[in-house]
Amino acid sequence: MKQFPLQTRRRCESGAALITVLMVSLCTAMLIGASLTVAMTSQKLGYNQSYSEAALQLADAGVNSELQVVALNMTNVTVSLKSSQPVVYNGVTAQRPSQSTTVLGRPGTVAGYTGGTFYVYSSNDAAGKTAWDGTTSPFYITSSACVNGCWQTVQIQSGVNSLFNVYGVFSLGDTSSGSTVTVAPNANVSVTGSAGVNGPVSQGSSCSFTAPTAINANCSKHTTGQLTNNNLCSGGNLCSSQQPLIYPKTSDCCRTAFGCHPTDSDAVAYSACQAHSCNSTGIYHYCNNANSSTINTTNCQQLTGGCGTTLSNSCWANANIKPGTYTSNWWWWWQNPTVAVQTLIFEPGDYYFTSMQLAYDASKEMIVDPCAYASGGTPGQVRFWCCDANVATDGATDDSIQCPIHNTCPAGQSTPDPGCFRLFYDKDGHNCTFQRPDNCTDWTGNTLTGDFDYYCGVYACSKPANDTSSKIGCNVCYRGTENQNGCNSSNDGCAHLHGSMLCDHLEFHGNCKCDYTPSQRCDKDPSCGGCAVSWSCHSG
């Protein structure tokens, strides 16, 4: 057998070693390259996921923006201005990767974020073929957003929602100085439902102010001084919004209710309200020969002359005595002095007042009758409008309600529906006070215990946030019995709202309760815009 020389064998071994090294280097390079590819792909996927999540949040912001647009423009008579349209807006050229057409909808951004743009519109149909007509419910809001090439689309099905069916209490106004919510020393306030503010809160040495959800809006302006975790019930949520929540003014609600044009002045709107008022026709009392105190057409009759534009204790002067109450002018010395009770019953309709001055008087009873039992008419809302078409010459005054207000209920229902009674207030710079006085007695002379209940929605807005006029805003004050012994006294004797209270400024004294109660009969309410019924999203 032929033998290779030693030198030749060494060369072969060196070549083999070189090949081995090259193969190992190649494998290592391939592994490193693969690792780098995997790393770069993972990084790209991570960025894309981050951009996708940002786009989803931005699309959600577009929906919220559109809800605000709808809320602010509900009173506009031009349908195309009630919401954003499903059309290509001027200057928009963006196209989705999967489509060759320009994206539809109003373009917008979020303050402080420059990474992307949303495009949003409202429509009657999910496909966005027909612009929303401003009345159809439910309707659809579609918002698409792009962040660094990543697209997300969010669509909600929205129902038109009553102003009073969102929050328990909300302070809609905002001031450069002072508070929008004031909780007085020793005041004890409990709220069910959301409590929200657009401005600062003053609660000093108050006993408490608690709600299951506290909402701080307008945080871009107010970084401190709003509601805190101390205002939450156990397990509650503290939410925030950089932008204020802006609702229509009371005068806007009036314009809508009485068919006025959006450009009509407040005086014109309230004159229309006065012209349509039921002050002279809708107030009833008991007949002088009524068989019982049951409210029906047999026992009740229309109050002759009705009531003027000042709602005061003198309005009861011509009312007959409520059956079953004491009517004698004489009593034995061992009996408690008693008085006869007179009752006014307000039937469905609108009532216009320039002033409300109702001092507590056990002999005066006030009943809101949305069931129309007294007249035998059509059931419906009872709406009080306290404002003044001629405020510049008349001079506005503060207003006060120091009596309980009773409501009738449909057969089989024991609790009144707050949607059947509304108070719209518009006296800029003035107070409307609901007060449960201390140490008052009933008509038999016995000391009253318990709450003064108000089943209604209260709306008082003359200067919402971002309003640049010289107005001050309306203030609504709730006064329950005062805590005479600090914060350990009983909560008996509250000024107790069942419904919703939305006002420029809110003030609480003593014991107060605000139980948010959604309204069942709210078809005549002004709308706050849309309320999401369902939510969906997709990428690309």
Side-chain angles (χ1 to χ4, degrees):
M1 184 175 182
K2 185 177 179 179
Q3 298 291 324
F4 288 102
L6 177 61
Q7 184 176 5
T8 301
R9 290 200 306 271
R10 288 177 176 172
R11 287 176 181 168
C12 291
E13 292 172 356
S14 297
L18 179 59
I19 292 172
T20 301
V21 170
L22 289 173
M23 291 181 65
V24 171
S25 298
L26 178 61
C27 291
T28 302
M30 291 176 65
L31 289 172
I32 293 174
S35 298
L36 289 173
T37 300
V38 170
M40 292 175 66
T41 301
S42 297
Q43 185 181 38
K44 185 176 181 179
L45 288 173
Y47 280 131
N48 285 342
Q49 183 176 1
S50 175
Y51 296 148
S52 181
E53 290 176 355
L56 180 61
Q57 293 178 8
L58 189 59
D60 266 334
V63 168
N64 290 326
S65 172
E66 181 67 359
L67 288 171
Q68 285 288 301
V69 168
V70 170
L72 288 172
N73 291 282
M74 288 301 298
T75 59
N76 206 310
V77 294
T78 304
V79 172
S80 62
L81 297 180
K82 287 180 177 288
S83 62
S84 303
Q85 302 293 288
V87 298
V88 176
Y89 274 66
N90 186 38
V92 174
T93 58
Q95 294 182 351
R96 299 169 66 101
S98 58
Q99 299 175 358
S100 59
T101 56
T102 304
V103 66
L104 305 181
R106 170 178 59 87
T109 58
V110 174
Y113 179 71
T114 59
T117 303
F118 62 74
Y119 306 88
V120 63
Y121 63 83
S122 297
S123 59
N124 281 351
D125 58 324
K129 301 294 184 182
T130 306
W132 184 48
D133 57 15
T135 57
T136 297
S137 182
F139 64 101
Y140 296 84
I141 295 177
T142 305
S143 175
S144 299
C146 179
V147 176
N148 288 333
C150 289
W151 285 83
Q152 289 278 9
T153 296
V154 168
Q155 184 177 78
I156 68 166
Q157 187 182 39
S158 179
V160 176
N161 203 31
S162 163
L163 280 175
F164 301 98
N165 274 4
V166 183
Y167 304 106
V169 297
F170 206 107
S171 174
L172 303 170
D174 179 28
T175 55
S176 56
S177 61
S179 301
T180 56
V181 173
T182 300
V183 187
N186 292 337
N188 191 353
V189 182
S190 65
V191 179
T192 64
S194 299
V197 295
N198 275 330
V201 178
S202 173
Q203 45 191 107
S205 58
S206 63
C207 299
S208 68
F209 178 99
T210 58
T213 300
I215 302 171
N216 291 326
N218 207 13
C219 291
S220 59
K221 179 177 180 181
H222 299 285
T223 56
T224 59
Q226 293 186 310
L227 297 170
T228 69
N229 284 311
N230 292 331
N231 298 118
L232 296 176
C233 302
S234 178
N237 296 313
L238 183 65
C239 307
S240 65
S241 168
Q242 292 301 304
Q243 301 303 312
L245 293 183
I246 302 176
Y247 276 13
K249 294 184 293 186
T250 305
S251 57
D252 293 328
C253 299
C254 185
R255 273 182 273 272
T256 301
F258 298 100
C260 299
H261 193 275
T263 60
D264 287 342
S265 68
D266 290 357
V268 169
Y270 290 131
S271 292
C273 175
Q274 184 175 6
H276 288 82
S277 71
C278 300
N279 294 40
S280 61
T281 60
I283 303 176
Y284 280 63
H285 65 137
Y286 286 104
C287 301
N288 58 10
N289 59 348
N291 296 320
S292 71
S293 61
T294 301
I295 299 176
N296 56 34
T297 55
T298 300
N299 291 328
C300 302
Q301 66 183 45
Q302 193 176 92
L303 181 70
T304 303
C307 181
T309 58
T310 296
L311 182 61
S312 66
N313 293 49
S314 62
C315 292
W316 276 257
N318 296 323
N320 289 322
I321 302 302
K322 179 181 180 179
T325 60
Y326 192 81
T327 57
S328 172
N329 292 323
W330 305 96
W331 51 83
W332 296 105
W333 62 269
W334 64 83
Q335 291 180 317
N336 290 325
T338 57
V339 294
V341 176
Q342 296 168 291
T343 304
L344 290 186
I345 306 165
F346 292 82
E347 295 299 276
D350 293 281
Y351 298 84
Y352 172 86
F353 301 110
T354 60
S355 178
M356 297 188 301
Q357 307 295 332
L358 297 176
Y360 179 76
D361 185 338
S363 68
K364 307 291 187 291
E365 181 184 45
M366 181 173 174
I367 296 177
V368 169
D369 181 26
C371 300
Y373 290 142
S375 63
T378 303
Q381 269 190 349
V382 176
R383 298 191 296 190
F384 282 12
W385 301 85
C386 187
C387 43
D388 194 345
N390 303 304
V391 65
T393 55
D394 294 350
T397 58
D398 289 342
D399 298 274
S400 179
I401 299 173
Q402 297 182 6
C403 60
I405 300 176
H406 304 291
N407 304 54
T408 61
C409 298
Q413 181 178 316
S414 59
T415 303
D417 176 5
C420 292
F421 180 37
R422 301 304 195 204
L423 170 61
F424 292 94
Y425 188 81
D426 188 8
K427 287 192 180 180
D428 187 69
H430 290 275
N431 300 319
C432 179
T433 300
F434 292 82
Q435 182 174 4
R436 197 283 193 199
D438 295 337
N439 304 318
C440 50
T441 60
D442 63 16
W443 70 276
T444 64
N446 295 318
T447 300
L448 278 180
T449 60
D451 301 340
F452 277 12
D453 294 296
Y454 304 101
Y455 289 86
C456 65
V458 180
Y459 196 83
C461 182
S462 64
K463 186 181 175 66
N466 289 351
D467 183 275
T468 58
S469 71
S470 60
K471 290 186 174 182
I472 300 171
C474 301
N475 186 67
V476 173
C477 177
Y478 261 64
R479 288 181 175 272
T481 53
E482 301 288 344
N483 288 322
Q484 303 296 332
N485 300 309
C487 293
N488 296 321
S489 62
S490 170
N491 279 345
D492 277 347
C494 292
H496 193 167
L497 175 77
H498 305 261
S500 179
M501 182 162 51
L502 310 167
C503 317
D504 289 326
H505 308 290
L506 289 168
E507 191 173 326
F508 298 97
H509 297 258
N511 293 307
C512 304
K513 295 178 183 177
C514 299
D515 284 337
Y516 167 65
T517 309
S519 303
Q520 302 302 313
R521 192 186 188 99
C522 53
D523 51 296
K524 294 185 69 175
D525 284 344
S527 173
C528 68
C531 177
V533 177
S534 64
W535 182 94
S536 63
C537 73
H538 61 83
S539 305

